Amino acid sequence: MNNANEILTNAISLLTFYLSELSDVQDSPEQQFAYGEKTAYTECLEILLKWNETDKKGLAFNVEQRYPL
């Protein structure tokens, strides 16, 4: 059974992977859905920053700088 620590660590890993895949997506009519995904994933990472262990779990960076919208 996974504990909250493992789940949050996996979520950070998955969200950063998704954002890396979407790095070239821009806010344009042609990429509207993908841009919405990028925005949602960025917001999720920003929420996870409230967890006091994020710097130890791979989220020791400024989300907005690394994944600008």
Side-chain angles (χ1 to χ4, degrees), residues 15-54:
L15 290 167
T16 55
F17 172 76
Y18 290 158
L19 283 166
S20 294
E21 292 287 309
L22 295 168
S23 64
D24 294 333
V25 171
Q26 300 295 318
D27 186 9
S28 68
E30 299 83 23
Q31 297 181 321
Q32 185 177 12
F33 182 81
Y35 187 76
E37 286 182 293
K38 185 177 178 179
T39 302
Y41 298 147
T42 300
E43 289 176 1
C44 288
L45 280 181
E46 289 175 339
I47 290 168
L48 289 175
L49 282 171
K50 296 179 187 309
W51 181 35
N52 62 353
E53 303 255 336
T54 54

Side-chain angles (χ1 to χ4, degrees), residues 5 8-9 12 45 48-63:
N5 191 27
L8 291 170
T9 300
I12 290 169
L45 280 181
L48 289 175
L49 282 171
K50 296 179 187 309
W51 181 35
N52 62 353
E53 303 255 336
T54 54
D55 57 333
K56 299 175 195 170
K57 304 299 180 183
L59 195 53
F61 57 85
N62 184 306
V63 175

